[in-house]
Amino acid sequence: MIPGVLVGHHHRVEPGWATGTTVVLVPAGAVGAVDGRGGAPGTRETDLLDPSNLVQQVHAVCLSGGSAYGLAAADGVMRWLSERSIGFQVGAQPHHVVPIVPGAVIFDLPMSEWGNRPDSSFGYAACEAASPEFALGCVGAGAGARVGSLKGGVGVASATVGAHQIGALAVVNAAGEVVDRASGLPWLPSLGTSAVALPQRKPDGLNTTIGVVAVDADLSKAECRRLAMAAQDGLARAVRPAHSMFDGDTVFALATGAVPLAEPRVFALDALCAAAAEVFAEAVVSGAREATSLNGVTAFRDL
């Protein structure tokens, strides 16, 4: 994605299991923010990201399956970071730290046998696997994802905006569709330009798209939040309907601060926000495009 930002997956895709965890790791710290639009969110440490609150930087974002149970995966991320003395300094010794790990979950419980869901070991293993290069599709938190009638997954996209690099990672598990059921055409042409016949929709309540948009710019928490808000516009372009009462759509923003934001800041920030919407929309498309059929749920590539 962005220099200084690593991504790791851990999942179980086997009989009785289709779920996992994805960690976006920033060991050097990054300014963080969040924007939530869905009516059924499952989140952790999002209040801390309010611009008026104390902590300015986060060290990882934990994205997981398992609904609210999956929030436990962040405990493993905290353990991995604390073993390396990475976190918010709260004492005199280098290891006196509290890692800041906000997170969000998708509802994928029907894809596994009851009781099979991510725990802290998933978060720890995802950190161990973190790298600048990583797989897409039915991996990590996208293992059990669905998007409307189709299989969902993890997708990414990136762009260059002036001197800045911006990237997005989406775990696509929306109640809405990436394809217009009336015409069979994808909402965004980058997913395809031919009409497809969607399979019958299963009303099993699978929902929520979560993700991260990251940039190398030097942003404040308030500016970061504008980036997360703009990324939600991209979600609404790629999935319709979006932000429903049955989705917990949550997007985090990370700014590593490696490149100063050009003056006047407001115009440079606006350009980044426009790009955030574009890359998040394309990350959603990527998640649908890279997914493979699983557990009787058809992938777009197989239509």
Side-chain angles (χ1 to χ4, degrees):
M1 289 179 68
I2 301 298
V5 180
L6 310 175
V7 174
H9 303 301
H10 181 70
H11 51 261
R12 292 186 65 175
V13 179
E14 59 197 70
W17 288 85
T19 190
T21 298
T22 296
V23 172
V24 180
L25 200 61
V26 277
V31 174
V34 67
D35 185 78
R37 300 285 174 96
T43 57
R44 164 194 169 116
E45 292 279 42
T46 51
D47 284 352
L48 194 65
L49 300 180
D50 187 285
S52 65
N53 289 337
L54 172 66
V55 174
Q56 297 298 304
Q57 293 198 325
V58 305
H59 307 97
V61 175
C62 185
L63 308 173
S64 188
S67 190
Y69 294 107
L71 292 171
D75 294 340
V77 181
M78 288 191 70
R79 179 163 61 90
W80 190 91
L81 290 165
S82 67
E83 289 174 356
R84 291 154 181 79
S85 300
I86 298 172
F88 181 71
Q89 196 75 33
V90 295
Q93 299 300 317
H95 64 282
H96 293 174
V97 298
V98 176
I100 307 301
V101 185
V105 293
I106 66 169
F107 184 82
D108 62 354
L109 296 178
M111 293 290 282
S112 301
E113 291 181 4
W114 187 257
N116 291 348
R117 56 233 181 190
D119 58 18
S120 63
S121 68
F122 279 63
Y124 192 96
C127 289
E128 288 281 272
S131 165
E133 304 294 330
F134 49 92
L136 302 177
C138 300
V139 295
R146 280 252 305 268
V147 53
S149 310
L150 302 172
K151 186 70 181 74
V154 174
V156 296
S158 61
T160 300
V161 184
H164 298 291
Q165 298 294 316
I166 185 169
L169 180 147
V171 181
V172 188
N173 188 62
E177 301 276 8
V178 290
V179 174
D180 180 1
R181 293 196 70 89
S183 68
L185 294 171
W187 297 117
L188 292 184
S190 52
L191 186 57
T193 56
S194 299
V196 297
L198 288 177
Q200 184 67 34
R201 187 185 182 110
K202 297 180 181 179
D204 54 12
L206 289 168
N207 52 54
T208 296
T209 296
I210 55 179
V212 176
V213 57
V215 67
D216 59 8
D218 181 15
L219 302 182
S220 68
K221 285 175 76 175
E223 289 168 333
C224 246
R225 184 159 188 267
R226 297 299 308 185
L227 210 65
M229 292 169 63
Q232 293 273 18
D233 294 338
L235 171 57
R237 295 173 191 174
V239 175
R240 303 179 194 179
H243 310 142
S244 77
M245 288 299 294
F246 303 99
D247 288 291
D249 298 335
T250 302
V251 179
F252 296 91
L254 298 173
T256 66
V259 181
L261 192 62
E263 296 291 346
R265 291 184 70 89
V266 65
F267 292 106
L269 176 63
D270 192 60
L272 288 177
C273 288
E278 293 290 340
V279 295
F280 202 84
E282 291 303 324
V284 171
V285 167
S286 170
R289 186 174 55 235
E290 297 295 330
T292 52
S293 299
L294 181 70
N295 287 1
V297 183
T298 304
F300 179 82
R301 64 171 63 201
D302 294 328
L303 296 179

